[in-house]
Amino acid sequence: MAAQLSDAPERGERAGPKEDRHFVTALARGLDVLACFKRNEDALANSEIAARCGLARSTVSRLTYTLTKLGYLHHVPHSGAYRLGTALIALGATALAGLDVRQIARPGMQELADFAKASVGLGVRDRLSMRYIECCRGEVAIALNIDTGSRISMARSAMGRAYLAACDPAERQAIMDDFRSVDDAAWPSLREGIEQALEEYRMTGCVRSFGDWQPTVSAIAVAFHPGGGLPPMTINCGAPTVILDPGFLLEDVRPRLIALAASLEGVMGS
């Protein structure tokens, strides 16, 4: 049984560089159109895409026309809507194939998932979210409905907070500034949770999110630097709180998670 969890983008996910002359707005808008589709979603009309991306329908019409011509979208004639195109399959497969760290990490991740009877995920930053690039599950009656490609909150999840603890200070500050700019009302609470997580990471080498991302989910996470020019990655371990005691996560799972991350440090070379 899978616990149904949303992987919708965070509010303000489309925040981008401000006053940056090198930033190509048209390209960013096209990528936003592709990113606005959610898992298990068949097709979207231009009006729905416009609402999600915060763009004028005329702008969206030009973007969807161009993306369709390039094969990144497919037009559905009977409905007039658009679905993701086959060109994205090749693009995504190429990107994942370049992340050999997934194959290296998978055996250790599965071993930890079996020990914890939980889900263990490997994630990378995706703007203001974290994107799963690998996921392993242990034998359990209730599992998180998360798989490769799923996206979760950076600010509220253990996976995202671990990334913030490991990334370059300048990058961290830029991310924090974006969090504040897209939701000033929620910012004090978000900042408090992140600052507590950063201190916890310094003290224990691990961060937690017990009900912060989803009220019924407990998770811990650790970051590592794979090398090879790749940015930091994070590994988390979590499950619905009803089947996974937070104390077990901190006392028994945490040292194994830290050891797993340490074994992946620098695996892709300098």
Side-chain angles (χ1 to χ4, degrees):
M1 178 180 177
Q4 296 297 315
L5 301 173
S6 171
D7 71 340
E10 284 290 283
R11 181 181 173 186
E13 189 71 22
R14 292 175 293 279
K18 306 171 185 65
E19 299 180 1
D20 186 345
R21 64 187 180 86
H22 298 292
F23 188 77
V24 183
T25 301
L27 175 59
R29 287 174 174 173
L31 294 174
D32 283 343
V33 168
L34 298 177
C36 82
F37 286 78
K38 301 175 184 177
R39 291 170 63 87
N40 304 317
E41 199 163 47
D42 289 335
L44 293 175
N46 277 337
S47 59
E48 295 172 301
I49 295 172
R52 290 186 183 183
C53 295
L55 298 171
R57 288 186 60 177
S58 58
T59 299
V60 169
S61 294
R62 293 193 296 273
L63 291 171
T64 53
Y65 174 83
T66 303
L67 292 167
T68 300
K69 285 291 186 180
L70 295 174
Y72 293 109
L73 288 179
H74 174 71
H75 184 244
V76 184
H78 72 272
S79 67
Y82 295 86
R83 61 189 309 160
L84 294 177
T86 54
L88 283 173
I89 298 174
L91 192 63
T94 300
L96 285 176
L99 294 175
D100 292 338
V101 67
R102 294 169 61 239
Q103 285 73 38
I104 299 171
R106 189 178 295 122
M109 291 173 60
Q110 188 61 59
E111 181 180 353
L112 182 61
D114 292 338
F115 169 79
K117 294 181 172 55
S119 296
V120 175
L122 177 65
V124 296
R125 179 190 173 188
D126 182 357
R127 291 186 282 185
L128 299 184
S129 298
M130 297 298 293
R131 177 82 66 175
Y132 276 74
I133 60 171
E134 189 61 69
C135 187
C136 298
R137 294 184 179 87
E139 293 282 344
V140 64
I142 305 175
L144 300 181
N145 187 28
I146 287 180
D147 211 336
T148 301
S150 294
R151 191 161 55 163
I152 64 174
S153 165
M154 178 185 288
R156 295 179 174 86
S157 69
M159 179 179 276
R161 291 171 176 178
Y163 181 89
L164 289 168
C167 71
D168 180 87
E171 180 186 4
R172 183 189 308 129
Q173 186 59 55
I175 294 171
M176 300 279 272
D177 290 344
D178 277 343
F179 285 151
R180 181 172 187 173
S181 68
V182 300
D183 195 348
D184 191 61
W187 170 239
S189 176
L190 288 179
R191 180 179 59 190
E192 181 180 2
I194 292 169
E195 289 177 347
Q196 288 177 352
L198 296 178
E199 178 62 24
E200 180 181 27
Y201 201 85
R202 284 190 289 268
M203 298 294 294
T204 69
C206 181
V207 297
R208 74 183 84 183
S209 177
F210 295 165
D212 298 329
W213 170 56
Q214 297 282 348
T216 59
V217 175
S218 294
I220 59 174
V222 177
F224 67 95
H225 294 82
L230 293 171
M233 295 183 178
T234 58
I235 301 180
N236 70 355
C237 181
T241 307
V242 67
I243 64 167
L244 187 63
D245 178 59
F248 173 71
L249 272 176
L250 293 175
E251 295 170 16
D252 297 280
V253 177
R254 178 170 59 185
R256 289 172 169 81
L257 183 63
I258 291 173
L260 175 58
S263 73
L264 296 171
E265 190 76 22
V267 293
M268 301 302 292
S270 59

